[in-house]
């Protein structure tokens, strides 16, 4: 997502690097490149035009701030304007409405309505402590009811047993009654999709909306980010014919150029509220324009990374590990648990993109899958080890090594390699803890990130790639606490 756009922006900013101050002359090329980058990302041309005018006006009106160089100033202007066109800050749905509050999910065929209905239900229950009833109301395609029921069962959320011979507006009314009886706070109504914006469907949705009018329903449009500009037109049509209160961008994990995210708010005036990014129920995020602008400009998104980490990291487990580390104990079992926590945060690539400056580095590296595969192989080897072995790998003699190799479908050499790498890591961890106790201070973020994350050692070989700044090259030579390059 946004990879090409980020790369193009980085190129554009080179135009002003090293310039004394921003002038009409020296920003001309940069602005031109920014414009092309946005158009190529499939951003609506009117949005681009306004964006460029605002950027120019701001850049030329900007006072020269002592100590801030022009290219940094320019990047800041672009950042703020990007956030502005996407809506500045997150606008979540109003959750303080009296129960039962209806949420209607609408959108084209296959946009991801049913999937999103499940994700939203799960989020509202686990984060907002709301009682939810899911309501299938797709009367065009009977199998849609089964799909929602199965999904609801998987996440243990109640699903209304809709009578599909009824009009969706009557289904909604019946569901409201049932929800009140069950003490629910919110009902999420999953509606039918059509291939194109179609008057019959629009009429039906208007009827449902009208029947719920007194409850002030939330009408959320699920827009497929993969179809770019087209999803902007869809949002416009739905808003004009039904009236929507929010947009959800779905399939943001796919190879989208970003046009939908950057245009919809500006074109329709309706806020983008959530992002659906993946097929599992947890691939759900609040839409934060400011953070997204940061990600697009390779500034990372540390706030989201920390929030995510707080969500998935088991605090007690982490504290137990820390205590062990203080006693200079670092076992294979600990290593496995750390790797599992990492995987819960997402793919290595998605984590790295949230770290400032890593986006550019990633573009040079290209593919992180070798490191990711290496991690998978290690996990398989570890899972073939016994508890005793995981607690003390030094008991691993030739016969145990052979058994683990067989059990994990790897070679004796693979297992030996893993053990020697682990021995190295253990030594490094010991060294790091000694340093901490000796008052040497925390190793810097760079050290932690450079070699501390399992799999990151893989990056070492790529650090000397052309196009990198001298600063990054120098950083690459530093060794992480676990030594880096242990793959
Ligand atoms: N990669 C990815 N796939 C998604 C996402 N959301 C939905 N999908 C997939 O897209 C397909 C359609 O999703 P549904 O949720 O059934 O879409 P829908 O809008 O309910 O479709 P209809 O009810 O037929 O109109 C399914 O294969 C989903 O797994 C997403 O955020 N990312
Ligand atoms: Mg559906």
């Amino acid at each position: 997502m946004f990879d090409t756009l980020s790369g193009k922006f980085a190129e554009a900013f080179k135009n002003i690097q090293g310039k004394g101050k921003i002038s009409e002359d020296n920003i001309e090329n940069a602005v031109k490149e920014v414009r092309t980058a946005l158009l190529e990302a499939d951003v609506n041309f009117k949005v681009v035009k306004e964006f460029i005018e605002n950027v120019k006006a701001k850049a030329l009106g900007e006072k020269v701030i002592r100590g801030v160089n022009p290219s940094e100033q320019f990047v800041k202007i672009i950042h703020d304007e990007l956030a502005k066109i996407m809506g500045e800050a997150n606008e979540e749905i109003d959750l303080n409405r009296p129960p039962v509050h209806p949420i209607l999910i609408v959108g084209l065929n296959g946009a991801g309505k049913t999937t999103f209905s499940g994700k939203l239900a799960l989020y509202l229950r686990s984060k907002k402590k709301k009682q939810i009833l899911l309501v299938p109301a797709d009367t065009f395609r009977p199998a849609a009811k089964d799909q929602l029921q199965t999904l609801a069962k998987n996440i243990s959320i109640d699903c209304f047993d809709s009578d599909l011979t009824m009009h969706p507006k009557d289904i909604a009314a019946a569901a409201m009654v049932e929800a009140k009886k069950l003490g629910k706070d919110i009902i999420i109504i999953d509606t039918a999709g059509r291939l194109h914006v179609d008057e019959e469907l629009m009429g039906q949705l208007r009827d449902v909306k009208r029947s719920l009018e007194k409850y002030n329903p939330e009408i959320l449009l699920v827009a497929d980010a993969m179809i770019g500009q087209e999803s902007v037109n869809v949002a416009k049509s739905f808003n004009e014919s039904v009236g929507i209160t929010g947009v959800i961008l779905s399939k943001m994990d796919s190879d989208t150029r970003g046009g939908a995210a950057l245009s919809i708010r500006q074109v329709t005036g309706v806020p983008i509220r959530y992002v659906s990014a993946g097929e599992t129920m947890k691939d759900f995020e609040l839409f934060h324009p400011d953070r997204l602008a940061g990600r697009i400009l390779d500034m990372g998104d540390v706030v989201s990374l920390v929030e995510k980490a707080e969500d998935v990291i088991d605090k007690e487990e982490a504290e137990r590990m820390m205590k062990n580390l203080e006693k200079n104990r670092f076992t294979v079992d600990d290593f496995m648990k750390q790797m599992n926590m990492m995987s819960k945060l997402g793919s290595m690539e998605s984590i790295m993109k949230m770290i400032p400056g890593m986006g550019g580095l990633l573009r040079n590296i290209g593919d992180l899958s070798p490191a990711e595969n290496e991690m998978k192989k290690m996990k398989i080897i570890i899972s073939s080890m016994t508890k005793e072995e995981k607690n003390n790998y030094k008991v691993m003699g030739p016969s145990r090594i052979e058994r683990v190799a067989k059990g994990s479908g790897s070679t004796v050499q693979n297992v030996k390699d893993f053990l020697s790498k682990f021995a190295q890591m253990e030594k490094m961890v010991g060294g790091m803890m000694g340093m901490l106790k000796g008052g040497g201070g925390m190793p810097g973020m760079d050290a932690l990130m450079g070699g501390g994350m399992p799999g990151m050692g893989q990056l070492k070989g790529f650090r000397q790639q052309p196009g990198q700044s001298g600063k990054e090259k120098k950083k690459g030579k530093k060794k992480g606490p676990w030594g880096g390059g242990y793959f």
Side-chain angles (χ1 to χ4, degrees):
M1 179 177 74
F2 295 123
D3 285 353
T4 319
L5 186 59
S6 298
K8 293 261 167 67
F9 274 160
E11 283 299 311
F13 298 148
K14 281 190 188 147
N15 282 292
I16 333 182
Q17 258 156 22
K19 299 280 177 354
K21 65 185 257 271
I22 298 181
S23 70
E24 195 139 8
D25 267 0
N26 61 31
I27 64 162
E28 194 174 331
N29 277 335
V31 168
K32 214 186 264 169
E33 283 184 38
V34 166
R35 180 194 288 124
T36 314
L38 289 170
L39 289 171
E40 280 176 4
D42 208 16
V43 179
N44 177 282
F45 77 96
K46 277 191 201 146
V47 176
V48 176
K49 191 165 173 273
E50 208 180 311
F51 179 90
I52 294 296
E53 279 165 11
N54 291 347
V55 165
K56 263 189 168 167
K58 257 188 161 175
L60 296 173
E62 199 85 349
K63 286 192 207 83
V64 184
I65 306 166
R66 213 185 284 260
V68 179
N69 71 43
S71 83
E72 278 165 9
Q73 266 182 45
F74 190 65
V75 173
K76 169 87 171 67
I77 292 170
I78 301 272
H79 172 273
D80 293 352
E81 286 301 311
L82 278 178
K84 200 168 110 193
I85 60 169
M86 291 190 284
E88 309 260 22
N90 173 250
E91 292 178 55
E92 195 161 4
I93 53 173
D94 182 1
L95 292 167
N96 295 319
R97 290 180 175 147
V100 177
H101 182 231
I103 300 177
L104 197 61
I105 309 292
V106 303
L108 289 190
N109 202 232
K113 295 179 294 298
T114 306
T115 310
F116 176 75
S117 301
K119 290 180 183 183
L120 182 66
L122 189 63
Y123 163 79
L124 292 175
R125 185 189 58 193
S126 56
K127 295 281 172 202
K128 305 289 173 185
K129 309 290 172 233
K130 298 285 184 193
Q131 296 296 320
I132 313 289
L133 181 67
L134 280 163
V135 182
D138 180 347
T139 51
F140 294 141
R141 195 171 57 88
K145 180 178 165 183
D146 299 337
Q147 189 192 349
L148 191 68
Q149 273 174 331
T150 311
L151 200 155
K153 207 170 153 204
N154 287 340
I155 52 175
S156 309
I157 285 193
D158 289 340
C159 188
F160 184 59
D161 186 16
S162 312
D163 176 354
L164 297 182
T165 60
M166 294 186 347
H167 188 285
K169 72 174 187 220
D170 300 319
I171 294 178
M176 285 296 283
V177 173
E178 176 79 359
K180 206 166 278 169
K181 215 159 64 191
L182 295 172
K184 302 290 183 191
D185 301 307
I186 291 171
I187 64 170
I188 299 175
I189 308 166
D190 177 30
T191 65
R194 285 286 166 92
L195 285 176
H196 306 285
V197 174
D198 137 327
E199 207 22 66
E200 188 194 352
L201 178 68
M202 295 299 152
Q204 192 185 79
L205 295 173
R206 274 196 300 270
D207 288 342
V208 180
K209 186 183 172 188
R210 206 170 300 131
S211 75
L212 295 170
E213 208 72 81
K214 62 176 175 227
Y215 307 108
N216 204 357
E218 194 78 50
I219 319 287
L220 301 180
L221 170 81
V222 179
D224 183 340
M226 239 164 36
I227 60 173
Q229 258 324 282
E230 189 44 35
S231 68
V232 181
N233 297 332
V234 170
K236 210 165 163 244
S237 311
F238 268 83
N239 195 32
E240 283 160 5
S241 69
V242 185
I244 53 177
T245 58
V247 174
I248 280 68
L249 286 179
S250 70
K251 311 194 187 174
M252 283 286 272
D253 51 315
S254 61
D255 198 15
T256 138
R257 284 176 288 169
L262 290 162
S263 316
I264 283 186
R265 169 68 193 243
Q266 200 77 349
V267 171
T268 63
V270 178
I272 301 172
R273 299 194 187 275
Y274 304 102
V275 169
S276 189
E279 298 193 47
T280 77
M281 287 295 110
K282 287 202 160 168
D283 299 318
F284 171 96
E285 284 175 41
L286 299 186
F287 183 78
H288 285 284
D290 43 348
R291 299 186 195 176
L292 201 56
R295 278 195 225 176
I296 295 174
L297 297 177
D298 283 347
M299 293 168 174
D301 181 358
V302 177
V303 183
S304 296
L305 183 61
V306 171
E307 278 177 5
K308 229 175 172 171
E310 278 173 351
D311 249 17
V312 303
I313 285 171
D314 179 342
K315 275 199 190 106
E316 278 172 31
E317 187 61 50
E319 273 166 26
R320 197 196 57 73
M321 260 187 229
M322 198 61 203
K323 282 209 176 92
N324 264 351
L325 285 176
E326 279 166 11
K327 289 184 212 145
N328 266 351
R329 261 185 67 78
F330 180 63
T331 66
V332 172
D333 202 34
D334 293 333
F335 178 54
M336 181 76 163
K337 282 180 181 146
Q338 288 187 2
M339 280 201 289
N340 286 339
M341 279 188 200
M342 279 268 305
S343 330
K344 277 200 235 157
L345 273 176
S347 70
M348 226 178 258
E349 190 178 328
S350 69
I351 299 170
M352 281 187 62
K353 278 190 186 152
M354 292 197 199
I355 302 169
M358 283 291 186
L361 187 59
L362 263 180
R363 276 196 297 282
N364 289 334
I365 295 164
D367 190 8
L368 279 180
S369 46
E372 215 125 16
N373 286 339
E374 199 62 40
M375 219 159 117
K376 271 190 205 136
K377 277 188 207 153
M378 289 213 259
K379 281 188 186 174
I380 299 171
I381 290 179
I382 296 172
S383 52
S384 294
M385 291 167 72
T386 63
K387 206 170 168 190
E388 182 200 0
E389 290 159 358
K390 278 190 261 189
N391 272 320
N392 179 16
Y393 71 98
K394 289 183 179 136
V395 301
M396 298 281 293
S399 68
R400 287 180 188 247
I401 290 179
E402 198 170 322
R403 192 203 78 243
V404 169
K406 264 202 193 122
S408 59
S410 30
T411 64
V412 165
Q413 195 53 47
N414 290 149
V415 180
K416 280 186 177 163
D417 285 348
F418 165 69
L419 290 172
S420 72
K421 281 166 195 164
F422 185 78
Q424 247 179 320
M425 272 185 248
E426 191 194 30
K427 226 188 260 167
M428 292 296 171
V429 169
M432 180 177 78
M433 294 316 293
M435 208 163 82
L436 283 177
K437 279 187 206 155
M442 278 292 284
M445 256 324 249
D446 172 56
L448 278 173
M449 292 310 179
M453 293 210 299
M456 296 286 284
Q458 188 76 25
L459 292 176
K460 201 180 155 219
F462 296 97
R463 288 199 176 225
Q464 317 295 335
Q465 295 246 341
Q468 272 186 245
S469 72
K471 210 166 133 201
E472 275 160 351
K473 271 184 203 164
K474 215 165 93 204
K475 278 187 195 168
K477 282 187 192 137
K478 250 193 242 167
K479 282 213 163 189
W482 294 357
Y486 48 75
F487 287 114

